[in-house]
Coordinates of all heavy atoms in Angstrom, one line a residue:
M1456 N -12.3 19.6 -29.3 CA -12.6 18.9 -28.1 C -13.1 20.1 -27.1 O -12.4 21.0 -26.9 CB -11.4 18.2 -27.5 CG -11.5 17.6 -26.2 SD -10.2 16.5 -25.7 CE -10.5 15.1 -26.6
D1457 N -14.2 19.9 -26.5 CA -14.7 20.9 -25.6 C -14.1 20.8 -24.2 O -13.5 19.8 -23.8 CB -16.3 20.9 -25.6 CG -16.9 19.6 -25.0 OD1 -16.1 18.8 -24.4 OD2 -18.1 19.4 -25.1
S1458 N -14.4 21.8 -23.4 CA -13.8 21.9 -22.1 C -14.3 20.8 -21.2 O -13.5 20.3 -20.3 CB -14.1 23.3 -21.5 OG -13.5 24.3 -22.2
K1459 N -15.6 20.4 -21.3 CA -16.1 19.4 -20.5 C -15.4 18.1 -20.7 O -15.1 17.3 -19.7 CB -17.6 19.3 -20.7 CG -18.4 18.4 -19.8 CD -19.9 18.4 -20.1 CE -20.6 17.5 -19.1 NZ -22.0 17.6 -19.3
E1460 N -15.2 17.7 -22.0 CA -14.5 16.5 -22.3 C -13.1 16.5 -21.8 O -12.6 15.5 -21.3 CB -14.6 16.3 -23.8 CG -14.1 15.0 -24.3 CD -14.3 14.8 -25.8 OE1 -14.7 15.7 -26.5 OE2 -13.9 13.7 -26.3
L1461 N -12.4 17.6 -22.0 CA -11.0 17.7 -21.5 C -10.9 17.6 -20.0 O -10.0 17.0 -19.4 CB -10.4 19.1 -21.9 CG -9.9 19.2 -23.3 CD1 -9.5 20.6 -23.7 CD2 -8.6 18.3 -23.5
A1462 N -11.9 18.2 -19.3 CA -11.9 18.1 -17.8 C -12.1 16.7 -17.4 O -11.4 16.2 -16.4 CB -13.0 19.0 -17.2
K1463 N -12.9 16.0 -18.1 CA -13.1 14.5 -17.7 C -11.9 13.7 -17.9 O -11.5 12.9 -17.1 CB -14.3 14.0 -18.6 CG -14.8 12.6 -18.2 CD -16.0 12.3 -19.1 CE -16.6 11.0 -18.6 NZ -17.8 10.7 -19.4
I1464 N -11.1 14.0 -19.0 CA -9.9 13.3 -19.3 C -8.9 13.6 -18.2 O -8.2 12.7 -17.6 CB -9.4 13.7 -20.7 CG1 -10.3 13.1 -21.7 CG2 -7.9 13.3 -20.9 CD1 -10.0 13.6 -23.1
F1465 N -8.7 14.9 -17.9 CA -7.7 15.3 -16.9 C -8.0 14.8 -15.5 O -7.2 14.5 -14.7 CB -7.4 16.8 -17.0 CG -6.7 17.2 -18.2 CD1 -7.2 18.3 -19.0 CD2 -5.5 16.6 -18.6 CE1 -6.5 18.7 -20.2 CE2 -4.9 17.0 -19.8 CZ -5.4 18.0 -20.6
K1466 N -9.3 14.8 -15.2 CA -9.7 14.3 -13.9 C -9.4 12.8 -13.8 O -8.9 12.3 -12.8 CB -11.2 14.5 -13.7 CG -11.7 14.0 -12.4 CD -13.2 14.2 -12.2 CE -13.7 13.7 -10.9 NZ -15.1 13.8 -10.7
A1467 N -9.6 12.0 -14.9 CA -9.3 10.6 -14.9 C -7.8 10.4 -14.7 O -7.4 9.5 -14.0 CB -9.7 9.9 -16.2
L1468 N -7.0 11.2 -15.3 CA -5.5 11.1 -15.2 C -5.0 11.7 -14.0 O -3.8 11.5 -13.7 CB -4.9 11.7 -16.5 CG -5.1 10.9 -17.8 CD1 -4.5 11.7 -18.9 CD2 -4.6 9.5 -17.7
S1469 N -5.8 12.4 -13.2 CA -5.2 13.1 -12.0 C -5.0 12.1 -10.9 O -4.3 12.4 -9.9 CB -6.2 14.2 -11.6 OG -7.4 13.7 -11.0
N1470 N -5.6 10.9 -11.0 CA -5.4 9.8 -10.0 C -4.1 9.1 -10.3 O -3.9 8.7 -11.4 CB -6.6 8.9 -10.0 CG -6.4 7.8 -9.0 OD1 -5.6 6.8 -9.2 ND2 -7.1 7.9 -7.9
E1471 N -3.2 9.0 -9.3 CA -1.9 8.4 -9.5 C -2.0 7.0 -10.0 O -1.2 6.6 -11.0 CB -1.1 8.5 -8.2 CG 0.3 7.9 -8.3 CD 1.0 8.0 -6.9 OE1 0.5 8.6 -6.0 OE2 2.0 7.3 -6.8
N1472 N -2.9 6.2 -9.5 CA -3.0 4.8 -10.0 C -3.5 4.7 -11.4 O -3.0 3.9 -12.2 CB -3.9 4.0 -9.1 CG -3.3 3.7 -7.7 OD1 -2.1 3.6 -7.6 ND2 -4.1 3.6 -6.7
R1473 N -4.5 5.6 -11.8 CA -5.0 5.6 -13.1 C -3.9 6.0 -14.1 O -3.7 5.5 -15.2 CB -6.2 6.4 -13.3 CG -7.4 5.7 -12.8 CD -8.7 6.4 -13.2 NE -9.0 7.7 -12.5 CZ -9.6 7.8 -11.4 NH1 -10.1 6.7 -10.8 NH2 -9.8 9.0 -10.9
L1474 N -3.1 7.0 -13.7 CA -2.0 7.5 -14.5 C -1.0 6.4 -14.8 O -0.5 6.2 -15.9 CB -1.4 8.7 -13.9 CG -0.3 9.4 -14.7 CD1 -0.8 9.8 -16.1 CD2 0.3 10.6 -14.0
E1475 N -0.7 5.7 -13.7 CA 0.3 4.5 -13.8 C -0.3 3.5 -14.8 O 0.5 2.9 -15.6 CB 0.6 4.0 -12.5 CG 1.5 4.8 -11.6 CD 2.9 5.1 -12.3 OE1 3.5 4.1 -12.9 OE2 3.4 6.2 -12.2
I1476 N -1.5 3.1 -14.6 CA -2.2 2.1 -15.5 C -2.1 2.6 -16.9 O -1.8 1.8 -17.8 CB -3.6 1.9 -15.0 CG1 -3.6 1.2 -13.7 CG2 -4.4 1.0 -16.1 CD1 -4.9 1.1 -13.0
Y1477 N -2.5 3.9 -17.2 CA -2.5 4.4 -18.5 C -1.1 4.4 -19.1 O -0.9 3.9 -20.3 CB -3.0 5.9 -18.5 CG -3.2 6.4 -19.9 CD1 -4.3 6.1 -20.7 CD2 -2.3 7.4 -20.4 CE1 -4.4 6.7 -21.9 CE2 -2.4 7.9 -21.7 CZ -3.5 7.5 -22.4 OH -3.7 8.1 -23.7
K1478 N -0.1 4.8 -18.3 CA 1.3 4.7 -18.8 C 1.7 3.3 -19.1 O 2.4 3.1 -20.1 CB 2.2 5.3 -17.8 CG 2.2 6.8 -17.7 CD 3.0 7.5 -16.6 CE 4.1 6.7 -16.0 NZ 4.8 7.4 -15.0
E1479 N 1.3 2.3 -18.3 CA 1.7 0.9 -18.5 C 1.1 0.4 -19.8 O 1.7 -0.3 -20.5 CB 1.3 0.1 -17.3 CG 1.9 -1.3 -17.3 CD 3.4 -1.4 -17.3 OE1 4.1 -0.5 -16.7 OE2 3.9 -2.3 -18.0
I1480 N -0.2 0.7 -20.0 CA -0.8 0.3 -21.3 C -0.1 0.9 -22.5 O 0.2 0.2 -23.4 CB -2.3 0.7 -21.3 CG1 -3.1 0.0 -20.2 CG2 -3.0 0.5 -22.6 CD1 -4.5 0.5 -19.9
A1481 N 0.2 2.2 -22.4 CA 0.9 2.9 -23.5 C 2.3 2.2 -23.7 O 2.7 2.0 -24.9 CB 1.1 4.3 -23.2
K1482 N 3.0 1.9 -22.6 CA 4.3 1.3 -22.7 C 4.2 -0.1 -23.3 O 5.0 -0.4 -24.2 CB 4.9 1.2 -21.3 CG 6.4 0.7 -21.3 CD 7.0 0.8 -20.0 CE 6.5 -0.2 -19.1 NZ 7.2 -0.3 -17.8
Q1483 N 3.2 -0.9 -22.9 CA 3.1 -2.2 -23.5 C 2.7 -2.2 -25.0 O 3.2 -3.0 -25.7 CB 2.0 -3.0 -22.7 CG 2.4 -3.4 -21.3 CD 3.6 -4.3 -21.3 OE1 3.8 -5.1 -22.1 NE2 4.5 -4.1 -20.3
E1484 N 1.9 -1.2 -25.3 CA 1.5 -1.0 -26.8 C 2.8 -0.7 -27.6 O 2.9 -1.2 -28.7 CB 0.4 0.0 -27.0 CG -0.9 -0.5 -26.7 CD -2.0 0.3 -27.2 OE1 -1.8 1.5 -27.7 OE2 -3.2 -0.1 -27.2
D1485 N 3.6 0.2 -27.1 CA 4.9 0.5 -27.8 C 5.8 -0.7 -27.9 O 6.3 -0.9 -29.0 CB 5.6 1.6 -27.1 CG 5.0 3.0 -27.3 OD1 4.1 3.1 -28.2 OD2 5.3 3.9 -26.5
I1486 N 5.9 -1.5 -26.9 CA 6.8 -2.6 -26.9 C 6.2 -3.7 -27.8 O 6.9 -4.3 -28.6 CB 7.0 -3.2 -25.5 CG1 7.8 -2.3 -24.6 CG2 7.6 -4.6 -25.5 CD1 7.8 -2.6 -23.2
D1487 N 4.9 -3.9 -27.7 CA 4.3 -5.1 -28.4 C 3.9 -4.8 -29.8 O 3.5 -5.7 -30.5 CB 3.0 -5.5 -27.6 CG 3.4 -6.1 -26.2 OD1 4.5 -6.5 -26.1 OD2 2.5 -6.1 -25.4
F1488 N 4.0 -3.5 -30.2 CA 3.6 -3.2 -31.6 C 4.4 -4.0 -32.6 O 3.9 -4.5 -33.5 CB 3.8 -1.7 -31.8 CG 3.4 -1.2 -33.2 CD1 2.1 -1.2 -33.6 CD2 4.4 -0.9 -34.1 CE1 1.7 -0.8 -34.9 CE2 4.1 -0.5 -35.4 CZ 2.7 -0.5 -35.8
E1489 N 5.7 -4.0 -32.4 CA 6.6 -4.8 -33.3 C 6.3 -6.3 -33.2 O 6.5 -7.0 -34.2 CB 8.0 -4.5 -33.0 CG 8.4 -3.0 -33.2 CD 9.8 -2.6 -32.7 OE1 10.5 -3.6 -32.2 OE2 10.1 -1.5 -32.7
Q1490 N 5.9 -6.8 -32.0 CA 5.7 -8.2 -31.8 C 4.3 -8.6 -32.1 O 4.0 -9.8 -32.0 CB 6.1 -8.6 -30.4 CG 7.5 -8.2 -30.0 CD 7.8 -8.4 -28.5 OE1 6.9 -8.8 -27.8 NE2 8.9 -8.0 -28.1
K1491 N 3.4 -7.7 -32.4 CA 2.0 -7.9 -32.7 C 1.3 -8.6 -31.5 O 0.4 -9.4 -31.7 CB 1.9 -8.8 -34.0 CG 2.5 -8.3 -35.2 CD 1.6 -7.4 -35.9 CE 2.2 -7.1 -37.3 NZ 3.0 -5.9 -37.4
C1492 N 1.7 -8.1 -30.3 CA 1.0 -8.6 -29.1 C 0.1 -7.6 -28.6 O 0.0 -6.5 -29.1 CB 2.1 -8.9 -28.0 SG 3.2 -10.2 -28.5
E1493 N -0.6 -7.9 -27.5 CA -1.6 -7.0 -27.0 C -1.3 -6.8 -25.5 O -0.7 -7.7 -24.9 CB -3.0 -7.5 -27.2 CG -3.3 -7.6 -28.7 CD -4.7 -8.2 -28.9 OE1 -5.0 -9.2 -28.3 OE2 -5.4 -7.7 -29.8
C1494 N -1.8 -5.7 -24.9 CA -1.6 -5.5 -23.5 C -2.7 -6.1 -22.7 O -3.9 -5.6 -22.7 CB -1.5 -4.0 -23.2 SG -1.3 -3.6 -21.5
S1495 N -2.5 -7.2 -22.0 CA -3.5 -7.8 -21.2 C -3.5 -7.2 -19.8 O -2.4 -6.8 -19.3 CB -3.4 -9.3 -21.2 OG -2.5 -9.7 -20.2
I1496 N -4.6 -7.1 -19.2 CA -4.7 -6.5 -17.9 C -3.9 -7.4 -16.8 O -3.4 -6.8 -15.9 CB -6.2 -6.4 -17.4 CG1 -6.9 -5.5 -18.5 CG2 -6.3 -5.8 -16.1 CD1 -6.2 -4.2 -18.8
S1497 N -3.8 -8.7 -17.1 CA -3.0 -9.5 -16.2 C -1.6 -9.0 -16.2 O -0.9 -9.1 -15.1 CB -3.1 -11.0 -16.6 OG -2.7 -11.2 -17.9
E1498 N -1.0 -8.5 -17.3 CA 0.3 -8.0 -17.3 C 0.4 -6.7 -16.4 O 1.4 -6.5 -15.7 CB 0.7 -7.6 -18.7 CG 0.9 -8.8 -19.6 CD 1.1 -8.5 -21.1 OE1 1.3 -7.3 -21.4 OE2 1.0 -9.4 -21.9
I1499 N -0.6 -5.9 -16.4 CA -0.6 -4.7 -15.6 C -0.7 -5.1 -14.1 O 0.0 -4.5 -13.3 CB -1.8 -3.8 -16.0 CG1 -1.6 -3.3 -17.4 CG2 -1.9 -2.6 -15.0 CD1 -2.7 -2.5 -18.0
L1500 N -1.5 -6.1 -13.8 CA -1.6 -6.5 -12.4 C -0.2 -7.0 -11.9 O 0.1 -6.7 -10.7 CB -2.6 -7.7 -12.3 CG -4.0 -7.3 -12.3 CD1 -4.9 -8.6 -12.4 CD2 -4.4 -6.6 -11.0
S1501 N 0.6 -7.6 -12.7 CA 1.9 -8.1 -12.3 C 2.9 -6.9 -12.1 O 3.8 -7.0 -11.3 CB 2.4 -9.1 -13.2 OG 2.7 -8.6 -14.5
C1502 N 2.7 -5.8 -12.8 CA 3.6 -4.7 -12.8 C 3.3 -3.7 -11.6 O 4.2 -3.1 -11.0 CB 3.5 -3.9 -14.0 SG 4.1 -4.7 -15.5
L1503 N 2.0 -3.6 -11.3 CA 1.6 -2.7 -10.2 C 1.1 -3.4 -9.0 O 0.6 -4.5 -9.1 CB 0.4 -1.8 -10.8 CG 0.8 -1.0 -12.1 CD1 -0.5 -0.3 -12.6 CD2 1.9 0.0 -11.8
K1504 N 1.3 -2.8 -7.9 CA 0.8 -3.4 -6.6 C -0.6 -2.9 -6.3 O -0.8 -2.3 -5.2 CB 1.8 -3.1 -5.5 CG 3.2 -3.8 -5.7 CD 4.2 -3.4 -4.7 CE 5.5 -4.1 -4.8 NZ 6.0 -4.3 -6.1
I1505 N -1.5 -3.3 -7.1 CA -2.9 -2.9 -7.0 C -3.8 -4.1 -7.2 O -3.5 -4.9 -8.1 CB -3.3 -1.8 -8.0 CG1 -2.4 -0.6 -8.0 CG2 -4.8 -1.4 -7.8 CD1 -2.6 0.4 -9.1
G1506 N -4.8 -4.3 -6.4 CA -5.7 -5.4 -6.5 C -6.6 -5.4 -7.7 O -6.8 -4.3 -8.3
A1507 N -7.0 -6.5 -8.1 CA -7.9 -6.7 -9.3 C -9.1 -5.8 -9.3 O -9.5 -5.1 -10.3 CB -8.2 -8.1 -9.6
P1508 N -9.9 -5.8 -8.1 CA -11.1 -4.9 -8.1 C -10.7 -3.4 -8.3 O -11.5 -2.7 -9.0 CB -11.7 -5.1 -6.7 CG -11.1 -6.5 -6.3 CD -9.8 -6.6 -6.9
T1509 N -9.6 -3.0 -7.7 CA -9.2 -1.6 -7.9 C -8.8 -1.3 -9.3 O -9.2 -0.3 -9.9 CB -8.0 -1.3 -6.9 OG1 -8.4 -1.6 -5.6 CG2 -7.6 0.2 -7.0
I1510 N -8.1 -2.2 -9.9 CA -7.7 -2.1 -11.4 C -9.0 -2.0 -12.2 O -9.1 -1.1 -13.1 CB -6.9 -3.3 -11.8 CG1 -5.5 -3.3 -11.2 CG2 -6.8 -3.3 -13.4 CD1 -4.4 -2.5 -11.9
S1511 N -9.9 -2.8 -11.9 CA -11.2 -2.8 -12.7 C -11.9 -1.4 -12.6 O -12.4 -0.9 -13.6 CB -12.1 -3.9 -12.1 OG -13.3 -3.9 -12.8
H1512 N -11.9 -0.9 -11.4 CA -12.5 0.5 -11.2 C -11.8 1.5 -12.0 O -12.4 2.4 -12.7 CB -12.5 0.9 -9.7 CG -12.8 2.3 -9.5 ND1 -14.1 2.8 -9.6 CD2 -12.0 3.3 -9.1 CE1 -14.1 4.1 -9.4 NE2 -12.8 4.4 -9.1
H1513 N -10.4 1.5 -11.9 CA -9.6 2.5 -12.7 C -9.8 2.3 -14.2 O -9.8 3.3 -14.9 CB -8.2 2.4 -12.2 CG -7.9 2.9 -10.8 ND1 -8.5 4.0 -10.3 CD2 -7.2 2.3 -9.9 CE1 -8.1 4.2 -9.1 NE2 -7.3 3.1 -8.8
L1514 N -9.9 1.1 -14.6 CA -10.1 0.9 -16.1 C -11.4 1.4 -16.5 O -11.5 2.0 -17.6 CB -10.0 -0.6 -16.4 CG -8.6 -1.3 -16.3 CD1 -8.7 -2.8 -16.4 CD2 -7.7 -0.7 -17.3
K1515 N -12.4 1.3 -15.7 CA -13.7 1.8 -16.0 C -13.7 3.4 -16.1 O -14.2 3.9 -17.1 CB -14.7 1.4 -14.9 CG -16.1 2.0 -15.2 CD -17.1 1.6 -14.0 CE -18.4 2.3 -14.2 NZ -19.2 2.1 -13.0
E1516 N -12.9 4.0 -15.2 CA -12.8 5.5 -15.3 C -12.0 5.9 -16.5 O -12.4 6.9 -17.2 CB -12.1 6.0 -14.0 CG -12.9 5.8 -12.8 CD -14.2 6.7 -12.8 OE1 -14.1 7.8 -13.3 OE2 -15.2 6.2 -12.3
L1517 N -11.0 5.2 -16.9 CA -10.2 5.5 -18.1 C -11.0 5.3 -19.3 O -11.0 6.0 -20.3 CB -8.9 4.6 -18.1 CG -7.9 5.0 -17.1 CD1 -6.8 3.9 -17.1 CD2 -7.3 6.4 -17.3
T1518 N -11.9 4.2 -19.3 CA -12.8 4.0 -20.5 C -13.8 5.0 -20.6 O -14.1 5.5 -21.7 CB -13.4 2.6 -20.3 OG1 -12.4 1.6 -20.2 CG2 -14.3 2.3 -21.5
N1519 N -14.4 5.4 -19.5 CA -15.4 6.5 -19.5 C -14.9 7.8 -20.0 O -15.6 8.6 -20.5 CB -16.0 6.7 -18.1 CG -16.9 5.5 -17.7 OD1 -17.4 4.8 -18.5 ND2 -17.2 5.4 -16.4
A1520 N -13.6 8.1 -19.8 CA -13.0 9.3 -20.3 C -12.5 9.1 -21.7 O -11.8 10.0 -22.2 CB -11.8 9.7 -19.4
N1521 N -12.8 8.0 -22.3 CA -12.4 7.7 -23.7 C -10.8 7.6 -23.9 O -10.3 7.9 -25.0 CB -13.0 8.7 -24.7 CG -14.4 8.4 -25.0 OD1 -14.8 7.2 -24.9 ND2 -15.2 9.4 -25.3
L1522 N -10.1 7.4 -22.8 CA -8.7 7.3 -22.9 C -8.2 5.9 -23.4 O -7.2 5.8 -24.0 CB -8.0 7.6 -21.5 CG -8.1 9.1 -21.2 CD1 -7.8 9.3 -19.7 CD2 -7.1 9.9 -22.0
I1523 N -9.0 4.9 -23.1 CA -8.6 3.5 -23.5 C -9.9 2.8 -24.0 O -11.0 3.2 -23.7 CB -8.0 2.7 -22.3 CG1 -9.0 2.4 -21.2 CG2 -6.8 3.3 -21.8 CD1 -8.6 1.4 -20.2
T1524 N -9.6 1.7 -24.7 CA -10.7 0.8 -25.1 C -10.3 -0.6 -24.5 O -9.1 -0.8 -24.4 CB -10.9 0.7 -26.6 OG1 -9.7 0.3 -27.2 CG2 -11.4 2.1 -27.1
T1525 N -11.3 -1.4 -24.2 CA -11.0 -2.7 -23.8 C -11.8 -3.7 -24.6 O -12.9 -3.4 -25.1 CB -11.3 -2.9 -22.3 OG1 -12.7 -2.6 -22.0 CG2 -10.4 -2.0 -21.4
E1526 N -11.3 -4.9 -24.6 CA -12.0 -6.0 -25.3 C -11.6 -7.3 -24.6 O -10.5 -7.5 -24.1 CB -11.6 -6.1 -26.8 CG -10.1 -6.4 -27.0 CD -9.8 -6.4 -28.5 OE1 -10.2 -7.4 -29.2 OE2 -9.1 -5.5 -28.9
K1527 N -12.5 -8.3 -24.7 CA -12.3 -9.6 -24.1 C -11.6 -10.5 -25.2 O -12.0 -10.4 -26.4 CB -13.6 -10.3 -23.7 CG -14.2 -9.7 -22.5 CD -13.5 -10.1 -21.3 CE -14.5 -11.0 -20.4 NZ -13.8 -11.5 -19.3
N1528 N -10.6 -11.2 -24.8 CA -10.0 -12.2 -25.7 C -9.9 -13.5 -24.9 O -8.9 -13.6 -24.1 CB -8.6 -11.7 -26.1 CG -8.0 -12.6 -27.1 OD1 -8.5 -13.6 -27.5 ND2 -6.8 -12.1 -27.6
G1529 N -10.9 -14.3 -25.0 CA -11.0 -15.5 -24.2 C -11.2 -15.1 -22.7 O -12.2 -14.3 -22.5
K1530 N -10.4 -15.5 -21.8 CA -10.6 -15.1 -20.4 C -9.8 -13.9 -20.1 O -9.8 -13.4 -18.9 CB -10.2 -16.3 -19.5 CG -8.7 -16.6 -19.5 CD -8.4 -17.7 -18.6 CE -6.9 -18.0 -18.5 NZ -6.5 -18.9 -17.5
F1531 N -9.1 -13.3 -21.1 CA -8.3 -12.1 -20.8 C -9.0 -10.8 -21.3 O -9.7 -10.8 -22.2 CB -6.9 -12.2 -21.5 CG -6.1 -13.3 -21.1 CD1 -6.0 -14.5 -21.8 CD2 -5.4 -13.3 -19.9 CE1 -5.3 -15.6 -21.4 CE2 -4.6 -14.3 -19.4 CZ -4.5 -15.5 -20.2
L1532 N -8.7 -9.7 -20.5 CA -9.2 -8.4 -20.9 C -8.0 -7.7 -21.5 O -6.9 -7.6 -20.9 CB -9.7 -7.7 -19.7 CG -10.3 -6.3 -20.0 CD1 -11.6 -6.4 -20.8 CD2 -10.7 -5.6 -18.7
I1533 N -8.2 -7.2 -22.7 CA -7.1 -6.5 -23.4 C -7.4 -5.0 -23.5 O -8.6 -4.6 -23.8 CB -7.0 -7.0 -24.9 CG1 -6.8 -8.6 -24.9 CG2 -5.8 -6.4 -25.6 CD1 -5.6 -9.1 -24.2
A1534 N -6.4 -4.2 -23.2 CA -6.6 -2.7 -23.2 C -5.8 -2.1 -24.3 O -4.7 -2.5 -24.6 CB -6.2 -2.1 -21.9
H1535 N -6.3 -1.0 -24.9 CA -5.7 -0.3 -26.0 C -5.8 1.2 -25.7 O -6.9 1.6 -25.2 CB -6.3 -0.6 -27.3 CG -6.2 -2.0 -27.8 ND1 -5.1 -2.6 -28.3 CD2 -7.2 -2.9 -27.7 CE1 -5.4 -3.8 -28.6 NE2 -6.6 -4.1 -28.2
I1536 N -4.8 2.0 -26.0 CA -4.9 3.4 -25.9 C -5.8 3.9 -27.0 O -5.7 3.4 -28.2 CB -3.5 4.1 -26.1 CG1 -2.5 3.6 -25.0 CG2 -3.6 5.6 -26.2 CD1 -3.0 4.1 -23.6
N1537 N -6.7 4.8 -26.7 CA -7.6 5.4 -27.7 C -6.8 6.5 -28.4 O -6.6 7.6 -27.9 CB -8.8 6.0 -27.1 CG -9.8 6.5 -28.1 OD1 -9.4 6.9 -29.2 ND2 -11.1 6.5 -27.7
K1538 N -6.3 6.2 -29.6 CA -5.4 7.1 -30.3 C -6.1 8.4 -30.7 O -5.4 9.4 -30.8 CB -4.8 6.4 -31.6 CG -4.1 5.1 -31.3 CD -2.8 5.3 -30.8 CE -2.1 3.9 -30.8 NZ -1.0 3.8 -29.8
E1539 N -7.3 8.3 -31.0 CA -8.1 9.5 -31.4 C -8.1 10.5 -30.3 O -7.9 11.7 -30.5 CB -9.5 9.1 -31.8 CG -10.3 10.3 -32.4 CD -11.7 9.8 -32.8 OE1 -11.8 8.8 -33.5 OE2 -12.7 10.5 -32.4
T1540 N -8.4 10.0 -29.1 CA -8.4 10.9 -27.9 C -7.0 11.5 -27.6 O -6.9 12.6 -27.3 CB -9.0 10.2 -26.7 OG1 -10.3 9.7 -27.0 CG2 -9.0 11.1 -25.5
L1541 N -6.0 10.6 -27.8 CA -4.7 11.1 -27.5 C -4.3 12.2 -28.5 O -3.6 13.2 -28.1 CB -3.7 9.9 -27.7 CG -2.2 10.1 -27.4 CD1 -2.0 10.6 -26.0 CD2 -1.5 8.8 -27.6
E1542 N -4.7 12.1 -29.7 CA -4.4 13.1 -30.7 C -5.1 14.4 -30.4 O -4.5 15.5 -30.5 CB -4.7 12.7 -32.1 CG -3.8 11.6 -32.7 CD -2.3 12.1 -32.7 OE1 -2.0 13.3 -33.1 OE2 -1.4 11.3 -32.3
K1543 N -6.3 14.3 -29.9 CA -7.1 15.5 -29.5 C -6.4 16.2 -28.3 O -6.3 17.4 -28.3 CB -8.5 15.2 -29.1 CG -9.3 14.8 -30.3 CD -10.8 14.4 -29.9 CE -11.6 14.0 -31.0 NZ -13.0 13.6 -30.6
I1544 N -5.9 15.4 -27.4 CA -5.2 16.0 -26.2 C -3.9 16.7 -26.7 O -3.6 17.8 -26.2 CB -4.8 14.9 -25.2 CG1 -6.1 14.3 -24.6 CG2 -3.9 15.4 -24.1 CD1 -5.9 13.1 -23.7
R1545 N -3.2 16.0 -27.6 CA -1.9 16.6 -28.1 C -2.3 18.0 -28.8 O -1.5 18.9 -28.7 CB -1.3 15.7 -29.1 CG -0.5 14.6 -28.4 CD 0.2 13.7 -29.5 NE 0.9 12.6 -28.8 CZ 1.0 11.4 -29.2 NH1 0.5 11.1 -30.4 NH2 1.7 10.5 -28.6
G1546 N -3.4 18.0 -29.6 CA -3.8 19.2 -30.2 C -4.1 20.3 -29.2 O -3.7 21.5 -29.5
F1547 N -4.7 20.0 -28.1 CA -5.0 21.0 -27.1 C -3.7 21.5 -26.5 O -3.6 22.7 -26.3 CB -5.9 20.4 -26.0 CG -6.1 21.2 -24.8 CD1 -6.9 22.3 -24.9 CD2 -5.4 20.9 -23.7 CE1 -7.0 23.2 -23.7 CE2 -5.5 21.7 -22.5 CZ -6.3 22.9 -22.6
I1548 N -2.8 20.6 -26.2 CA -1.6 21.0 -25.5 C -0.7 21.8 -26.4 O 0.0 22.7 -26.0 CB -0.8 19.7 -25.0 CG1 -1.6 19.1 -23.8 CG2 0.6 20.1 -24.6 CD1 -1.1 17.8 -23.3
D1549 N -0.8 21.6 -27.7 CA 0.0 22.3 -28.7 C -0.5 23.7 -29.0 O 0.1 24.5 -29.7 CB 0.2 21.5 -30.0 CG 1.1 20.3 -29.9 OD1 1.9 20.3 -28.9 OD2 1.0 19.4 -30.7
L1550 N -1.6 24.1 -28.4 CA -2.2 25.4 -28.7 C -1.3 26.5 -28.3 O -0.6 26.6 -27.4 CB -3.5 25.6 -27.9 CG -4.7 24.8 -28.5 CD1 -5.9 25.0 -27.6 CD2 -5.0 25.2 -29.9

């Protein structure tokens, strides 16, 4: 992973709201893994006191940094942690 890519990731996570959203997605994935559920953005909206347009902006930034992926499931937007990027970050931190 090059420095430019790492800087983009750390810049995305440097925003407190984006960090909270990322943590909530990760937490929901851990909880829901056993139940075979997915993390919908509506669940995040109910946990955080942030409006939908702001959440949308932050999700876009997290997606642009390859930290998460999103998909539509009917009328719901589902978010997933990008495990490949997470592993690259772990590798960088373990240096």
